[in-house]
Amino acid sequence: MDLISHKIERSKLKVGDHIYTWRKMHTYTHHGIFIGEGKLIHFVNSKKKGNLHFSVASSSDSSTKNKKTPCPWSYCEPKEVTGSGVKMSCIDCFIKTGSLYRFKYEVNSKYFLLKQEGTCTTARSDPPEKVKYRATYLHENWYPEYDLMNNNCEDFALYCKTGLWSKVKEQGRSSQANSVHLTRNGDLGKRKDVVKVPVEALADLFKHPLKIKDF
């Protein structure tokens, strides 16, 4: 049932889907954008050690079962734009030993309140081709430095899906981060401090923050 779980099979994924997987015994979610052909783009802390990509070997041999091996896909490598943590990965490296879930958009307020943070939003998603374009552009160019509270993996995915950026410098879009800040605004779909910002304008916006008033 959708209210209970957003779990999805790989065969059901569509280009532009915002997907996530649970980490550390369901304490938080890691997010990315599916771009097709088994690939997804996600955002990690480039300063954090241990971001190398590995797949989990599946074998009937107990000596090799669940052992980590280097990912065989050439596109799934720990490469990134300098100063950024936007990466392309295969699904296996993204979910590790977890499962795959689809983030839900345009939910009603009651549904949102019943679900755990980091799984849905009342905000509306843009068309899939625009979502894929934003994610791909940010992977190939530049994206602001990782910040757990103001610019994390959920922030990245939400921006790719909606194009919405906060006019307040220290006000991320992540419902997980905002849930621990009682003074912050709530769900992205209900906020008045966000505006549509073209993906090509993000770099210039960070160099000249006052330009946010032009959007």
Side-chain angles (χ1 to χ4, degrees):
M1 184 178 176
D2 188 49
L3 184 60
I4 299 174
S5 174
H6 295 166
K7 194 172 183 179
I8 184 172
E9 298 297 327
R10 300 182 189 203
S11 60
K12 301 294 184 181
L13 286 173
K14 297 178 181 179
V15 171
D17 273 350
H18 173 173
I19 59 178
Y20 65 93
T21 187
W22 288 97
R23 293 278 197 260
K24 294 187 177 180
M25 300 179 68
H26 275 60
T27 55
Y28 71 94
T29 49
H30 181 57
H31 300 250
I33 299 295
F34 182 68
I35 61 170
E37 299 180 329
K39 304 174 183 177
L40 58 92
I41 294 175
H42 58 128
F43 184 46
V44 301
N45 185 352
S46 60
K47 296 180 180 179
K48 183 179 179 180
K49 295 181 180 179
N51 281 324
L52 295 179
H53 287 202
F54 294 94
S55 59
V56 178
S58 58
S59 170
S60 57
D61 184 352
S62 60
S63 65
T64 60
K65 191 174 183 179
N66 293 332
K67 283 189 176 181
K68 293 181 179 180
T69 58
C71 181
W73 299 106
S74 60
Y75 63 82
C76 189
E77 297 178 343
K79 294 180 179 179
E80 60 196 38
V81 176
T82 302
S84 173
V86 180
K87 294 176 177 286
M88 183 181 292
S89 298
C90 68
I91 294 175
D92 285 328
C93 289
F94 177 78
I95 65 174
K96 297 183 180 178
T97 58
S99 297
L100 198 60
Y101 300 82
R102 181 158 53 198
F103 194 95
K104 194 170 179 62
Y105 283 78
E106 291 188 80
V107 303
N108 60 51
S109 298
K110 183 179 292 186
Y111 184 102
F112 179 79
L113 291 174
L114 289 173
K115 295 296 290 185
Q116 189 167 343
E117 291 85 1
T119 62
C120 63
T121 178
T122 61
R124 176 179 295 181
S125 170
D126 285 332
E129 60 272 14
K130 185 169 288 188
V131 176
K132 179 180 178 180
Y133 173 74
R134 287 190 188 114
T136 303
Y137 183 93
L138 294 174
H139 174 250
E140 296 174 348
N141 293 275
W142 179 89
Y143 187 67
E145 190 176 66
Y146 186 95
D147 183 310
L148 180 61
M149 299 310 299
N150 298 303
N151 192 38
N152 57 42
C153 60
E154 186 185 354
D155 287 303
F156 171 80
L158 285 167
Y159 172 74
C160 290
K161 288 287 284 186
T162 66
L164 295 175
W165 199 267
S166 176
K167 292 183 286 186
V168 181
K169 184 177 180 181
E170 295 185 354
Q171 186 76 253
R173 295 158 298 288
S174 167
S175 60
Q176 294 181 97
N178 289 339
S179 68
V180 299
H181 279 269
L182 298 180
T183 59
R184 287 192 171 195
N185 292 314
D187 177 58
L188 182 64
K190 303 292 186 181
R191 289 168 55 173
K192 305 298 183 183
D193 66 312
V194 292
V195 290
K196 285 274 190 180
V197 176
V199 67
E200 301 87 352
L202 273 184
D204 188 49
L205 181 61
F206 265 73
K207 292 178 183 177
H208 309 284
L210 293 179
K211 286 190 176 182
I212 189 69
K213 64 183 181 182
D214 297 332
F215 297 98

